[in-house]
Amino acid sequence: MTTAKDIMHPGAQWIPAHETLDRAAQLMARLDVGALPIADAQERLCGILTDRDIVVGCVALGHDPAKVTAGEMAQGTPRWIAAESGVGDVLQEMQEHQIRRLPVIEGKKLVGMISEADLAQHLSDEQLAGWMEKVYARA
């Protein structure tokens, strides 16, 4: 069985909840990613910050990204998947919650992220089309 760990992009990094959005954007640029999991003081997942969150939720509203923290942008219940979960579970989680990035957790530690690019590399065209239809559908 193919697992989440088999298809994830390894080496994902947390951004601490207390870190400012300008620093988060710098880390995203350095890592060449569009999203970072947000960790609380106990290194537990408390959200995911995207480049769009920074632009739309901070800059476009006239806020200073050097004064707004990643934790302030965290909204809702963060979704994640266990490293040993099957690809079917990954797809179901992403489809059910209409999300495009999913942190992979093993032993309470972040071990990777699954993104659209990872799915495109590991799914059949039919599986990918079905996933896209459900994730991008308007509720």
Side-chain angles (χ1 to χ4, degrees):
M1 169 179 81
T2 303
T3 66
K5 192 170 185 175
D6 295 329
I7 67 169
M8 73 180 189
H9 180 83
Q13 290 188 326
W14 298 105
I15 185 84
H18 68 271
E19 196 61 78
T20 57
L21 298 185
D22 62 334
R23 300 297 284 255
Q26 292 165 3
L27 181 58
M28 285 180 188
R30 192 173 83 239
L31 297 173
D32 192 27
V33 298
L36 293 169
I38 304 169
D40 65 14
Q42 290 76 42
E43 290 194 355
R44 290 180 304 204
L45 181 66
C46 64
I48 295 181
L49 179 68
T50 67
D51 47 8
R52 187 175 195 282
D53 293 334
I54 295 170
V55 172
V56 175
C58 178
V59 177
L61 298 176
H63 300 294
D64 182 353
K67 295 182 179 173
V68 177
T69 67
E72 291 174 278
M73 298 299 291
Q75 297 178 0
T77 303
R79 309 306 308 177
W80 57 272
I81 195 88
E84 67 275 3
S85 297
V87 172
D89 295 330
V90 170
L91 296 176
Q92 182 177 346
E93 183 71 15
M94 294 175 87
Q95 290 168 353
E96 187 176 314
H97 299 283
Q98 291 188 306
I99 55 176
R100 294 176 237 156
R101 297 169 180 104
L102 189 62
V104 180
I105 306 293
E106 184 174 55
K108 298 186 181 182
K109 299 272 187 205
L110 176 71
V111 293
M113 287 280 280
I114 297 174
S115 69
E116 294 166 294
D118 299 312
L119 295 179
Q121 290 178 347
H122 294 91
L123 299 180
S124 70
D125 289 345
E126 185 177 299
Q127 287 175 305
L128 190 59
W131 176 84
M132 290 178 72
E133 184 178 316
K134 290 178 181 151
V135 169
Y136 287 101
R138 295 280 179 204

